[in-house]
Amino acid sequence: DHVERPPTIAPLAPPMGNSVLATGPAPVSPLTPVAPSLFGPPILPLKDDVTGSIPPVTTIPAINPATSPALSVPPLGERLPAAIGGVKLRSAALTGDAAAAYAVAERYVDGKGVPVNMEEAAHWFERAASKGLVPAQFRYASLLEKGLGVKKDLAQARRLYLAAATKGNAKAMHNLAVLYAEGADGKSDYTTAVQWFRKAAQHGVADSQYNLGVLCARGLGTEQNYAEAYKWFALAAAEGDGEAAKKRDEVAGRLDPATLAAAEKSVQTF
């Protein structure tokens, strides 16, 4: 009877996003092992999260003179506080430069020069996202998903995650997979979730590697495959995920020596 039961697998890891208040290490990251629940309230990893592909904006981005002359007159009635940045940055943001709008949004998130204001951050992320800026698409989708600074809209969040994911943003791949797994439209779609978790896992996102291990072990959205589950748990464990290490060892007990050796080899050659 014991042999017939699959390993006890913990819930999946949550979506990734950005906290606007805390300043310590991220509670959900490949280097901070926890056992979060996919199906509980969302946990917001901090903006120093290292699993994705969005670098922090630490300097004023280059301005595109073709679309945003440095000293263009902004649209009538729209202003930015001087404390948000220099004249060139403000003018560029107000006249449609996506990188400048993203930098402004980041400053509202971080409270850099201005008080933290998530409504303003959402506004400027949306403007940058509408220009096709991939990091902005991810960040604005994250706010839409959680209802931070903007009305919660899972359908629009999923569309933006998809846009960013198809352009190679690994965090967006992960969060898109979570929305499919959770059933943002009322029904879980594990098959599509597996596809996006796999893409993010191949980009090295440890939470996606863990989640893919869960789905492979359970046979949700894909064939049940303990060897494949072992591979993804082992890769996540190598990034410091203690829960993944436990699941790796549980699954290893289900594999015969030859299959386990092959699974270990696939980890080494990843």
Side-chain angles (χ1 to χ4, degrees):
D1 177 60
H2 177 72
V3 174
E4 294 298 320
R5 292 200 302 269
T8 301
I9 302 299
L12 309 189
M16 294 179 288
N18 292 278
S19 166
V20 300
L21 299 177
T23 57
V28 180
S29 79
L31 302 180
T32 309
V34 293
S37 171
L38 172 65
F39 304 105
I43 297 174
L44 311 184
L46 310 185
K47 55 183 174 291
D48 61 348
D49 162 313
V50 297
T51 62
S53 58
I54 300 176
V57 175
T58 56
T59 59
I60 296 174
I63 304 305
N64 183 348
T67 59
S68 305
L71 297 177
S72 296
V73 177
L76 183 64
E78 188 168 25
R79 296 288 185 270
L80 279 168
I84 199 80
V87 173
K88 288 185 178 181
L89 174 67
R90 286 181 280 130
S91 178
L94 289 166
T95 53
D97 186 276
Y102 183 83
V104 167
E106 285 276 86
R107 293 175 188 205
Y108 276 119
V109 169
D110 296 339
K112 184 177 179 181
V114 291
V116 170
N117 187 324
M118 293 309 297
E119 287 76 18
E120 284 293 323
H123 169 72
W124 289 101
F125 279 137
E126 180 182 21
R127 288 184 63 154
S130 71
K131 299 287 186 179
L133 188 67
V134 173
Q137 290 173 334
F138 169 77
R139 296 293 295 276
Y140 186 50
S142 180
L143 297 183
L144 286 166
E145 181 187 350
K146 300 168 181 70
L148 291 176
V150 67
K151 183 178 179 180
K152 185 172 183 176
D153 187 338
L154 293 180
Q156 179 65 358
R158 187 164 69 179
R159 284 191 288 270
L160 285 167
Y161 280 144
L162 178 60
T166 56
K167 294 174 185 174
N169 185 287
K171 280 185 171 183
M173 295 173 190
H174 175 87
N175 288 12
L176 179 61
V178 169
L179 290 184
Y180 277 114
E182 288 185 328
D185 56 1
K187 183 178 180 181
S188 295
D189 181 352
Y190 289 113
T191 300
T192 305
V194 164
Q195 293 171 5
W196 287 107
F197 277 137
R198 189 178 301 279
K199 290 178 184 291
Q202 289 168 342
H203 277 77
V205 178
D207 284 341
S208 284
Q209 291 169 344
Y210 176 87
N211 288 350
L212 189 54
V214 169
L215 296 176
C216 288
R218 290 179 175 173
L220 291 174
T222 186
E223 284 188 18
Q224 188 176 55
N225 187 326
Y226 290 150
E228 186 76 356
Y230 177 92
K231 169 186 171 179
W232 295 114
F233 284 139
L235 288 166
E239 295 296 324
D241 189 325
E243 187 64 24
K246 293 177 183 177
K247 300 308 170 192
R248 174 202 60 201
D249 295 343
E250 289 178 21
V251 170
R254 304 282 172 164
L255 303 176
D256 61 66
T259 304
L260 178 58
E264 290 172 340
K265 181 67 174 178
S266 71
V267 174
Q268 296 167 6
T269 57
F270 177 75

